[in-house]
Amino acid sequence: MKLGGWGRFGAEDTALTAPRDGSEAAEALTRGPVIARGNGRAYGQSAVGKTTTISTRNLNKMVSFDAKKGELVAEAGVLIGDIIDAFLPRGWFPYVTPGTKFVTLGGAIAADVHGKNHHIEGSFGQYVTWIEVMEADGTVTRCARNKNRKLFEWTIGGMGLTGVILRAAIRLRPVESAWIRQTMVPAANLRDAMRVFEANHDATYSVAWIDCLATGDALGRSLVMLGEHATAGDLDVTRARRPLAIPPKRKLSVPFDMPGFMLNGHTVRAFNKLYYWKGCRAEGESLVDWDSYFYPLDSILGWNRIYGRKGFLQFQCALPLSTARDGLTALLSAISEAGQGSFLAVLKRLGAQDSRFSFPMEGYTLALDFPATTSALALMDWLDGITLDHGGRFYLAKDARMGADTLRRADPRVGEFAEMRGQKGRAETFQSVQSERLKI
Amino acid sequence: MNIPGPVLILGGKSDIGLACAHAFAAEGHPVWLAARDAGQLEAAKTDMALRHGVEVETFAFDATDIAAHEGFVDGLPALPSVVICAVGAMGEQLDNERDVAKAAQVMRANFEGPATLLGVFANRMEARGSGAIVGISSVAGDRGRATNYIYGSAKAGFTAFLSGLRNRLAGAGVHVVTVRPGFVNTAMTAGMDLPAKLTAEPDELGTAVLNAVRKGRNDIYVRRIWWLVMLIIRNIPEMVFKKLSL
Ligand SMILES: Cc1cc2nc3c(=O)[nH]c(=O)nc-3n(C[C@H](O)[C@H](O)[C@H](O)COP(=O)(O)OP(=O)(O)OC[C@H]3O[C@@H](n4cnc5c(N)ncnc54)[C@H](O)[C@@H]3O)c2cc1C
Ligand SMILES: NC(=O)c1ccc[n+]([C@@H]2O[C@H](COP(=O)([O-])OP(=O)(O)OC[C@H]3O[C@@H](n4cnc5c(N)ncnc54)[C@H](OP(=O)(O)O)[C@@H]3O)[C@@H](O)[C@H]2O)c1
């Protein structure tokens, strides 16, 4: 069948199989090359197998929970959203979550996802105690920081290219409520936004929505959103009665592809202006429920269809602290010059991270999406160049079109990754359409 | 406030049965899972108890072992509030055509077994004066087609049984729900290339069954489009129908 990524840009033929246990998974490996697929939220073809794609949709059982340590053992196909549904009512929340709750445990580990708290709490991998990985020969290896350490470190951020994650143990964070105390700080331009990030380095969560069509003195105009888990004492009487529950919400869905012309420079510009002014009016503190705070897009199921049939592309790079301001200025100038606005442009401060192949590094990350058009593809090549010039790197979970050379120039770790892939039959057994394109 | 009563799932290993179990467990109902090999239910039991914090128990039964039905029901901790039957087997149409033993097995697993077992529950629920019985039948029972009429005919029997049972128990406080799924993405259909718009996820069945029990719905299709599809299929004149390949 034809399978693609969340951006719906390009689809490839692959056989999709959904094993129910280890022996079925081992059997699927013989129909390789294969790659594991979680919930398909990576934008490109990270989870599309060259020949066979192993879906973890049937490996979705929770196995045990240790309430003393806050440690959950679960199969790789369990969704972050399932973990929240099950454990938030008991006062636990994931330490790290991406901007959608519809990702699997396996996908979160394989992409070593980051959240709004990366600057102080690091990435998902930090809260993983151990992982069980099915390797190329079909054997299952349990790895941890003190056991089969290399496999552990390569698997976190390894994009499925070390093997199939079957189960893992992760630690959860104790919380007193289901609410976030949000502080909205408008920033007039990029310099201002970065100042807000640096001044609020001790905030648990911080992220900025950025108006990438603003120019001149307003270049980088943004709304910085800071957040803290609300304590029981932060809640009013009604909410304090059931601090771990939130009122049910209505789900919207996008049932069909919107015509591509609905999204253009004008509509995006208008939307961005409106969003910014609304944000400025909401300046200051408010209580926001966890779902709206962490996953604003999840309330519109299938929102990726608003970009129409051709799909869309996401660009996400990280820039080191030393070059971040210049690099971001150059990136934003290029975008506004090209007039290719993006609804969802997100700026985030990243903390220090030392890992084998994960994306985050100390500095800033900028993420934007564009409808998949020839001009957007050209712009993204241009943005690649700017990122390279400033010593930045790219997020593979978002990539759908980068060249192998670009990746090599951006990331010196690729050499060692390839070396690891050369061992134990990994390179022959585990391949995605993306890994083939990037030659990793 | 009402304490949610226990929900028994016959065919507790099936994806549809489990999805129903999750839907009820999420509402606080204790869940009893029954399958031929109860040992294979352990992972699902742990998972369900962890997610929903409800009591989960497992039982062994064989729907085609008719002589054992009364004993199985006697062996349960109590008469459940809701019983959901997701037992079924499709086999391969060609095998079913050529091998009477296989055909008979399909007929038993989809009709004789489930109907007789639900009949035992029906009698006891009638005596108690309360309960809900849910049978997972299929659109395949709406009209026999060359490509799966052995399975389809058994489902047709099951659908008719459920409708008669509902009629009989309407005044007795026992509600009977017929569920006619179209395509569902489960073990039964693994590897088939199904049209996405017509194919439901097991979760959708779980939610639909929960709502049907709560709202007293009688006979449901899952994904409304199937109602229309089957309306058309049922109304094609036989002269034309017999020449179609569907
Ligand atoms: C709206 C939205 C917001 C997002 N926000 C963020 C964000 O804030 N931060 C962030 O870091 N990311 C973000 N992402 C990206 C997303 O978190 C990652 O792509 C994540 O990996 C998706 O998980 P998945 O289960 O869908 O995996 P898939 O997309 O199916 O797979 C992703 C990768 O993980 C591998 N993989 C999946 N399961 C396994 C397994 N069991 N064993 C081995 N490898 C496996 C696949 O091979 C593939 O390489 C966002 C994505 C969306 C759509
Ligand atoms: N999937 C679809 O597209 C679809 C469409 C319409 C209707 N349905 C119906 O939905 C129901 C559930 O099916 P599913 O899709 O979830 O597939 P499934 O996983 O194959 O479920 C079928 C279940 O029936 C059980 N079973 C078969 N014979 C049995 C017997 N003699 N005694 C006890 N249990 C028996 C099996 O139990 P074991 O685990 O013990 O083998 C299995 O759990 C079935 O009635 C099916 O006909 C399915």
Side-chain angles (χ1 to χ4, degrees), chain B residues 11 13-16 35-37 61-64 86-89 105 109-110 136-138 151 155 181-184 186-189:
Chain B
K13 228 188 81 198
S14 88
D15 292 327
I16 292 176
R36 283 182 285 197
D37 179 354
F61 85 114
D62 184 334
T64 52
V87 172
Q105 180 53 34
N110 291 294
I136 313 287
S137 189
S138 170
Y151 170 77
K155 288 295 192 189
F183 301 130
V184 190
T186 70
M188 195 175 267
T189 53

Side-chain angles (χ1 to χ4, degrees), chain A residues 160-313:
Chain A
L161 298 167
T162 62
V164 181
I165 299 165
L166 296 180
R167 301 206 291 179
I170 60 164
R171 279 191 299 127
L172 302 178
R173 169 205 306 273
V175 293
E176 285 183 31
S177 84
W179 300 85
I180 300 291
R181 248 181 327 113
Q182 172 176 283
T183 309
M184 174 88 81
V185 190
N189 51 37
L190 180 65
R191 175 184 298 264
D192 205 17
M194 291 176 74
R195 189 189 49 72
V196 176
F197 273 116
E198 299 305 328
N200 291 285
H201 201 78
D202 56 351
T204 306
Y205 299 109
S206 63
V207 69
W209 168 84
I210 184 163
D211 175 355
C212 52
L213 286 180
T215 52
D217 287 347
L219 187 80
R221 167 168 78 185
S222 6
L223 298 170
V224 187
M225 292 166 243
L226 310 172
E228 299 295 336
H229 285 279
T231 61
D234 292 333
L235 305 181
D236 57 33
V237 199
T238 348
R239 286 175 183 140
R241 226 172 272 144
R242 296 182 63 209
L244 294 164
I246 60 171
K249 276 204 275 286
R250 241 164 55 111
K251 288 247 183 288
L252 301 174
S253 69
V254 179
F256 52 82
D257 298 326
M258 301 238 293
F261 65 79
M262 300 265 304
L263 283 186
N264 55 41
H266 298 293
T267 51
V268 174
R269 202 180 301 272
F271 171 84
N272 283 6
K273 267 213 177 114
L274 191 72
Y275 194 85
Y276 183 74
W277 292 118
K278 266 190 76 179
C280 290
R281 296 226 323 260
E283 181 171 355
E285 225 183 89
S286 56
L287 267 188
V288 183
D289 69 78
W290 63 271
D291 206 11
S292 313
Y293 182 79
F294 290 104
Y295 314 111
L297 286 172
D298 286 354
S299 60
I300 311 169
L301 298 171
W303 62 264
N304 52 345
R305 288 167 172 267
I306 65 168
Y307 284 93
R309 259 181 213 294
K310 287 197 199 124
F312 66 111
L313 298 158

